[in-house]
Amino acid sequence: LRATQLPLTEAADEIDAMDSLRASVASVPIEGAYAYGFQYLYYEQYKVIQREMLTNLGLAIAAVFVIVLLILAELRTTLLVMLCVLLTDVSILGVMQMWGLTNDSV
């Protein structure tokens, strides 16, 4: 069967549409049925990008912490450096919000 999906403008709406169509197809007792559309490749990206960004940011901060601790060998100074790094990240995210930039695909 073929179907046409109406164009959507918001990433949250696209994710909801994809998930609801997949749930509808999964509820039909037809072996091997699946919902696929080329645009779903982008919708999947929208679905995981926030979690991936937070994971990568956390891993990067942890790596910086370990490296700075090894180089400086003093916990208090390392924590001050980490505070500077965290404040820089918060500042960048704040400017992105102020400019109306979103964290999605190119």
Side-chain angles (χ1 to χ4, degrees):
L1 296 174
R2 293 185 70 114
T4 302
Q5 186 172 332
L6 296 174
L8 302 169
T9 57
E10 297 292 323
D13 296 335
E14 294 168 342
I15 292 168
D16 291 340
M18 178 185 66
D19 288 341
S20 67
L21 180 61
R22 287 183 175 170
S24 297
V25 170
S27 67
V28 176
I30 299 175
E31 187 68 29
Y34 61 92
Y36 174 79
F38 181 74
Q39 68 273 20
Y40 287 177
L41 298 174
Y42 298 107
Y43 298 176
E44 285 288 340
Q45 177 182 343
Y46 300 151
K47 189 174 181 178
V48 300
I49 197 163
Q50 193 76 19
R51 184 181 66 230
E52 291 292 324
M53 181 198 67
L54 293 175
T55 301
N56 290 340
L57 191 60
L59 290 173
I61 288 173
V64 169
F65 177 78
V66 169
I67 291 169
V68 170
L69 185 61
L70 289 173
I71 291 173
L72 296 179
E74 187 178 334
L75 183 61
R76 186 173 178 180
T77 308
T78 300
L79 291 176
L80 289 174
V81 171
M82 291 309 300
L83 179 64
C84 291
V85 171
L86 287 173
L87 290 176
T88 301
D89 290 342
V90 169
S91 176
I92 290 171
L93 293 173
V95 170
M96 285 177 62
Q97 176 70 28
M98 187 177 67
W99 287 346
L101 300 175
T102 57
N103 188 17
D104 57 6
S105 69
V106 176

